[in-house]
Amino acid sequence: MSSVAAVLNLDIEGPRISRHLYGHFAEHLGRCIYGGFYVGEDSDIPNAGGIRMDVVEALRALNIPNLRWPGGCFADEYHWMDGIGPKERRPKMVNTHWGNVEENNHFGTHEFMALCELLGAEPYISGNVGSGTVKEMSDWVEYLTRDGDSPMVRLRKANGREEPWRVTYWGLGNEAWGCGGNMNAEQYTAEARKYGTYARDHGDNRLYRVAAGANSDDYSWTETLMKSLGTLGCAYRPQPYVQALSLHYYTIAGTWQDKGDATVFDTGDHYATMAAAARVEELIARHSTVMDCYDPGRTVGLVLDEWGTWWNVEPGTNPGFLYQQNTLRDALVASLHFDVFHRHAERLVMANIAQTVNVLQAMILTDPESGALVLTPTYHVFEMNKGHQDAASLRVDTPGGLPARDGLATVSMSASRKDGRVLVSLSNLHADEDADVELDLRGGRLDGVTSRILTAGRLQDHNTPQAPDAVAPRPHAQVTPTATGLRVHLPAHSFVTVEGRLA
Ligand code: AHR
């Protein structure tokens, strides 16, 4: 067993952890929207206007701050006008990216905005740059956010919505370097300037426009955007047509062709996964450094609007539907990401896990036959960590270093304070060794300390309709007071949260 000495200054607040780092993503892909969020009004599954209420209730418990939609790659072939008006008159299309299945457009703008209202989440809409037009995007913004009288306002009202919605987060395309148009950085930058200009602020609605950023470690993409999207010079001034850049990074432990199995893996695969997940810190730090060169005042946000594990699809499922199981290993990938996000909260303003229901690293899996809903281990990490949303980050120092295995630190931690409460998150990524963390609490005391743990007998354990709580949080008794703070015992492969009131 290893022992880790950690220093936590309870009275020195770092940057605020935006709640939007706990954002989500729902694409028209496989069973995420249809069968996941949306079952249609005639379904036997309880629904509100076709939206599954058990899914909504489960997600409300996470305080999900925002939901990105309609893609992903789908966003750049989506024409929003196909998804408004009476459903029986909406044109059908083929979802060429994801399984070549028919898309009937029954879930469109009004349904998405109703979903956001039910969730209490802010919409984050990805506009179509790849195959759309500037006018199409401009009209969509007007349709959603303008008040008074205009062609798009009249159309919205004719479709039953009198008041404009409030929309802040707006994506200018998706993966422009790939499925979003196969552009180079210079081409896309020119598009982003144009699309960003005509995605207008109507009335007092202020858009936060997110330019389609880099894939993984493509730092030159970030540099090209930063150079061109602001006025260069010592007093860098971002232009009003773009407020942030995105970044996509998936945890893939195998190769792109054979990503590995979600539930059948060995210890070596586990460590390869943790190493791939930990790499997100290097990527965020380096993209931030590039941004710092041009924007030292950190006015332009970095938005990691796709992250998570990507495994081979479950045997027997449509390869284009990206349906995968979710084990305790996935939960540790999530907890590790959140520690990184908290450390980089000054530049990283939003992150969206891919994807919320039935696709990639989902929170919720639904059974296509019975309709049964299962909460995944990853769901529980989001729930256990929700106290970090909009909290002030607290730095955790480990003067003696962290236990490591082949260069991978096997213990990860982060902390925050909000409303007189402190939340500490601790992960032990080691497959079979326990760890003790000696938390030296400085600048305050904690009262009423409680703790929860997410673990299971095996890293491969996961939840199913037959065993929905195989991996679920439980109270954790192994937190003991010491002369200087707390000793937190972390069993092998576990995620623990410790919470207390500032005394
Ligand atoms: O999340 C699945 C896909 O991954 C998205 O559509 C795309 O943006 C990314 O390549």
Side-chain angles (χ1 to χ4, degrees):
M1 187 173 75
S2 46
S3 176
V4 186
V7 179
L8 178 54
N9 286 291
L10 298 172
D11 57 344
I12 304 179
E13 295 193 348
R16 191 179 69 98
I17 297 168
S18 168
R19 65 183 181 283
H20 292 292
L21 295 177
Y22 285 80
H24 286 261
F25 173 32
E27 181 166 10
H28 288 237
L29 193 179
R31 295 189 299 109
C32 183
I33 296 293
Y34 300 108
F37 276 112
Y38 186 79
V39 284
E41 285 158 59
D42 300 333
S43 171
D44 293 338
I45 297 174
N47 67 82
I51 296 167
R52 255 187 100 143
M53 285 313 289
D54 54 356
V55 168
V56 166
E57 270 147 33
L59 293 173
R60 280 183 70 89
L62 301 184
N63 294 349
I64 92 164
N66 68 72
L67 185 62
R68 179 173 183 248
W69 172 85
C73 294
F74 181 78
D76 280 297
E77 61 178 359
Y78 181 64
H79 300 283
W80 69 272
M81 285 225 186
D82 294 347
I84 55 171
K87 293 202 171 80
E88 63 284 1
R89 281 201 244 137
R90 296 186 191 176
K92 297 180 171 47
M93 66 179 281
V94 179
N95 189 336
T96 57
H97 278 293
W98 305 118
N100 274 307
V101 292
E102 185 180 276
E103 161 67 56
N104 64 16
N105 278 308
H106 283 191
F107 188 90
T109 299
H110 290 250
E111 291 74 22
F112 173 66
M113 296 306 288
L115 171 61
C116 288
E117 280 171 2
L118 288 169
L119 291 170
E122 288 194 54
Y124 172 16
I125 294 183
S126 288
N128 180 346
V129 169
S131 71
T133 63
V134 174
K135 175 168 172 19
E136 188 181 355
M137 188 186 287
S138 177
D139 283 349
W140 201 4
V141 176
E142 181 181 319
Y143 185 90
L144 282 156
T145 63
R146 197 174 170 88
D147 205 355
D149 187 36
S150 80
M152 288 302 117
V153 173
R154 284 197 288 279
L155 184 58
R156 184 187 73 227
K157 290 184 178 173
N159 287 328
R161 172 82 187 193
E162 208 45 41
E163 296 301 315
W165 288 282
R166 288 202 83 81
V167 178
T168 301
Y169 300 104
W170 194 271
L172 302 172
N174 169 76
E175 296 193 352
W177 39 263
C179 64
N182 283 312
M183 295 178 229
N184 61 36
E186 288 75 16
Q187 280 173 302
Y188 172 69
T189 305
E191 295 296 307
R193 295 172 72 111
K194 227 169 26 182
Y195 277 78
T197 301
Y198 295 98
R200 301 279 193 204
D201 289 337
H202 293 281
D204 62 356
N205 190 76
R206 292 284 165 272
L207 289 184
Y208 188 84
R209 300 165 191 79
V210 182
N215 181 24
S216 184
D217 57 1
D218 185 353
Y219 303 112
S220 90
W221 184 280
T222 296
E223 175 153 41
T224 304
L225 285 186
M226 287 303 295
K227 260 187 202 158
S228 161
L229 294 179
T231 307
L232 281 179
C234 297
Y236 177 90
R237 270 176 293 123
Q239 292 296 338
Y241 42 73
V242 171
Q243 283 71 43
L245 316 183
S246 68
L247 167 66
H248 288 182
Y249 177 64
Y250 284 96
T251 295
I252 297 173
T255 60
W256 184 250
Q257 291 70 30
D258 181 10
K259 302 181 187 71
D261 197 285
T263 56
V264 183
F265 57 90
D266 61 22
T267 308
D269 298 327
H270 166 68
Y271 288 118
T273 306
M274 293 303 128
R279 188 165 170 242
V280 75
E281 180 139 39
E282 174 192 321
L283 297 173
I284 293 172
R286 290 191 175 188
H287 283 287
S288 300
T289 303
V290 174
M291 294 172 80
D292 285 349
C293 293
Y294 298 95
D295 173 32
R298 301 196 170 168
T299 51
V300 179
L302 181 62
V303 171
L304 181 67
D305 56 16
E306 289 188 27
W307 68 273
T309 55
W310 195 325
W311 309 117
N312 295 335
V313 298
E314 287 302 310
T317 64
N318 187 328
F321 281 14
L322 309 188
Y323 177 77
Q324 65 189 40
Q325 248 302 350
N326 193 299
T327 67
L328 179 61
R329 174 176 64 162
D330 294 82
L332 294 176
V333 167
S335 64
L336 185 57
H337 273 72
F338 285 129
D339 290 339
V340 173
F341 295 173
H342 300 163
R343 282 196 284 277
H344 293 270
E346 196 174 352
R347 178 68 84 173
L348 190 71
V349 296
M350 188 193 283
N352 304 73
I353 191 163
Q355 301 189 5
T356 318
V357 189
N358 290 332
V359 170
L360 298 177
Q361 191 175 351
M363 308 301 107
I364 292 175
L365 301 176
T366 64
D367 187 283
E369 266 85 57
S370 66
L373 171 154
V374 163
L375 305 179
T376 65
T378 299
Y379 173 96
H380 294 303
V381 174
F382 274 72
E383 191 277 320
M384 291 167 74
N385 254 7
K386 69 182 176 189
H388 290 300
Q389 293 188 21
D390 284 339
S393 56
L394 297 175
R395 222 173 84 181
V396 185
D397 288 305
T398 49
L402 289 163
R405 194 187 173 283
D406 292 339
L408 169 79
T410 53
V411 169
S412 173
M413 288 174 270
S414 63
S416 71
R417 60 180 269 177
K418 182 173 72 175
D419 303 332
R421 299 193 70 77
V422 169
L423 176 62
V424 187
S425 297
L426 308 99
S427 302
N428 183 2
L429 313 178
H430 206 289
D432 32 50
E433 254 183 38
D434 294 8
D436 266 348
V437 175
E438 307 286 341
L439 271 182
D440 179 357
L441 301 178
R442 300 188 187 169
R445 265 189 324 107
L446 290 185
D447 275 350
V449 171
T450 58
S451 178
R452 290 199 293 162
I453 183 165
L454 186 74
T455 190
R458 301 166 64 243
L459 274 159
Q460 293 79 358
D461 285 349
H462 54 275
N463 298 331
T464 61
Q466 294 71 37
D469 292 323
V471 189
R474 294 181 171 78
H476 186 47
Q478 291 168 298
V479 178
T480 41
T482 60
T484 55
L486 296 169
R487 175 175 306 125
V488 185
H489 181 69
L490 305 177
H493 56 257
S494 66
F495 172 60
V496 168
T497 52
V498 177
E499 204 178 347
R501 218 177 33 254
L502 274 167

